[in-house]
Amino acid sequence: MTRFDNLQHFITTHFGKQPDTLEAITGDASFRRYFRLTINNQHFIVMDSDPQKVNNAPYLSLNQVFTDQGFLLPHIIKSDEQQGFFILTDLGSTHLADMLNDANRTDYYTQLISLSAKWAQTPEASDMQAYGKDFIALELSIFSQWLVKEFIAERVDTNQLKMWESSCDLLTQTMLEQPTVTVHRDYHSRNIMHSDSQWAIIDYQDTVRGPLCYDLVSLLRDCYFKLPNNELAQLLAFGYNEFKREGLVSNTSFEEFKVWFDLTGLQRHLKAAGIFCRLYLRDGKTGYLANILPTLEYIVDVAERYPELNALSDWVKNTIVPKVTKRLEQVNL
C-alpha cells in the first residue's frame, strides 16, 4: 500500500466511511502535506507528516501548550503518531495574506502585534528550543551555503569572509542581548488565519525561546508582503509601546528597540533567502523563487543604514543581487 492509501485507511477507520472528497492543499514549505476533507457535510483538515522526515512531537505538545494559553489553533481530533497522520479542525481558508488590501489592514496588524505580545509571554515548555548562539549561526549558514555557494556558485574571498563573519557576530550579539521570550518564528501573513472573527495561528511547531523582536519583524517585514514605510513606522512604534505596556521591555529606548528590530530582521531575511534557494535546489519547489529578490532588498535597505553593515549591504547589492537575478532568469527559461 502507498502512503496515500494508508492515509485514506486512517480516515475511513476514524469516521467509519469513505470521505466524500479529499483535496490537496498546496503551498507548504515543509515536508508536511495537507488535505481538505469533506465527510458527512463537515469539513476537516488532514495532515500527512511522515515521522521519517519530521519530528511531530513538538506539534502535538505545543498544540496543548498554546491552546491552554487561550490561543486559537487547529484542534487535533485524531492522530496516528506512528504513521504521522492527523485529523484537524478546519479553520477555513482566509489568511492574513488574503486581507492585505482591506481598508482595516492597520487595525489587523495592531491586533496581531497585541496577540504576539501575549504569545511572547507563554511559559517555557520542554519542546521549545533555545534560540542561542549556535542556533543563530546555523541559520545564517543557510544563506552562505544554499544561496551563495549552491544557488549562484559565488566564491568568497578573504575580505568578504571577514566582512561576513563580523556582520554575523553583530547580528548574533544584537539578538542575544534582547529579552528572551516565546517566539513563533514564522509569524507572518501566511501563518495567521481569520476564522470565525478570530485570529488563529498555524505552523507553531518550530516555536523557540528567543529574541523579543523576532516575531514582530516576521510580521512587519514579511517576506511575502511589503508594508509602506510610513505604515511600518507607525506599527513599529505601536509594537514598542505595546511591549512596554505588557512588561516585555523596560529601560530600553525606542531607538535601541529599533536597532534590535532592524538587525533581527537582517538575520531572519538572510536565513529566509537561503531557505528559498534550498527549497528549490533540494526539494524541487519553485514557488518561493519569486521571494528571493524582495527579501534581498530588505537586507540591502536595512544594512545600509548602519555604518558597520555598509559592506554587507554593498556586497549583497552589487554582487549577490545581480547574480541571483541572472540565475533566476536561467531557471525561468
Side-chain angles (χ1 to χ4, degrees), residues 2 8 122 195:
T2 67
Q8 290 182 303
T122 301
S195 180

Side-chain angles (χ1 to χ4, degrees), residues 32-315:
R32 295 178 174 88
R33 296 191 303 162
Y34 294 89
F35 302 84
R36 177 162 276 113
L37 165 69
T38 304
I39 194 164
N40 297 331
N41 294 318
Q42 293 181 293
H43 301 289
F44 303 89
I45 298 297
V46 178
M47 182 171 76
D48 173 2
S49 185
D50 188 345
Q52 299 297 318
K53 298 178 179 179
V54 180
N55 176 16
N56 291 314
Y59 187 90
L60 289 160
S61 67
L62 293 175
N63 185 283
Q64 189 64 53
V65 168
F66 291 118
T67 299
D68 288 347
Q69 292 295 309
F71 295 100
L72 178 59
L73 277 67
H75 174 63
I76 301 171
I77 298 168
K78 180 70 175 179
S79 65
D80 181 333
E81 296 172 43
Q82 186 173 354
Q83 294 193 88
F85 298 144
F86 302 82
I87 298 172
L88 313 171
T89 51
D90 187 350
L91 297 173
S93 56
T94 303
H95 296 73
L96 174 63
D98 303 310
M99 306 169 69
L100 294 173
N101 292 323
D102 288 10
N104 297 321
R105 181 176 69 198
T106 301
D107 290 338
Y108 300 156
Y109 274 100
T110 58
Q111 292 166 21
L112 290 165
I113 290 169
S114 297
L115 189 66
S116 78
K118 301 294 186 187
W119 187 277
Q121 296 175 71
T122 301
E124 184 174 359
S126 59
D127 275 311
M128 296 179 189
Q129 292 188 60
Y131 206 162
K133 184 177 180 179
D134 291 345
F135 201 148
I136 295 168
L138 178 65
E139 291 195 333
L140 286 165
S141 72
I142 296 172
F143 179 84
S144 53
Q145 174 69 28
W146 288 98
L147 191 152
V148 178
K149 183 179 179 181
E150 303 290 345
F151 191 68
I152 61 172
E154 173 69 5
R155 296 184 64 130
V156 178
D157 64 30
T158 302
N159 289 334
Q160 290 168 334
L161 182 60
K162 287 176 64 177
M163 174 276 298
W164 172 250
E165 290 175 345
S166 66
S167 299
C168 290
D169 287 345
L170 178 58
L171 300 184
T172 301
Q173 174 189 333
T174 303
M175 293 175 76
L176 294 177
E177 72 185 25
Q178 298 172 47
T180 298
V181 299
T182 296
V183 176
H184 180 285
R185 271 183 81 213
D186 279 310
Y187 194 74
H188 57 67
S189 59
R190 295 184 181 181
N191 283 337
I192 300 168
M193 302 188 69
H194 203 245
S195 180
D196 293 330
S197 302
Q198 298 180 72
W199 294 111
I201 309 299
I202 61 174
D203 238 12
Y204 55 81
Q205 63 277 347
D206 294 326
T207 292
V208 295
R209 294 284 294 174
L212 175 67
C213 285
Y214 197 95
D215 281 349
L216 186 65
V217 82
S218 301
L219 180 68
L220 300 185
R221 285 205 175 114
D222 192 334
C223 293
Y224 310 115
F225 177 75
K226 187 170 184 178
L227 283 165
N229 289 336
N230 60 339
E231 189 175 354
L232 186 146
Q234 174 188 345
L235 290 167
L236 180 58
F238 175 85
Y240 173 70
N241 290 321
E242 184 72 359
F243 287 1
K244 281 183 66 177
R245 191 177 70 81
E246 291 287 341
L248 292 167
V249 62
S250 60
N251 302 318
T252 301
S253 69
F254 177 71
E255 288 71 26
E256 293 171 305
F257 182 81
K258 190 175 185 302
V259 173
W260 288 352
F261 178 84
D262 282 345
L263 271 57
T264 301
L266 283 179
Q267 189 271 354
R268 173 171 170 76
H269 290 123
L270 287 164
K271 176 194 74 170
I275 286 175
F276 295 148
C277 295
R278 186 174 70 185
L279 285 166
Y280 169 69
L281 294 169
R282 187 190 71 185
D283 305 331
K285 296 183 178 182
T286 59
Y288 297 87
L289 290 174
N291 303 115
I292 299 173
L293 287 175
T295 303
L296 293 176
E297 287 173 13
Y298 276 135
I299 296 165
V300 171
D301 291 347
V302 174
E304 71 179 1
R305 301 174 198 170
Y306 294 87
E308 58 269 55
L309 293 169
N310 282 172
L312 174 65
S313 178
D314 290 343
W315 180 57

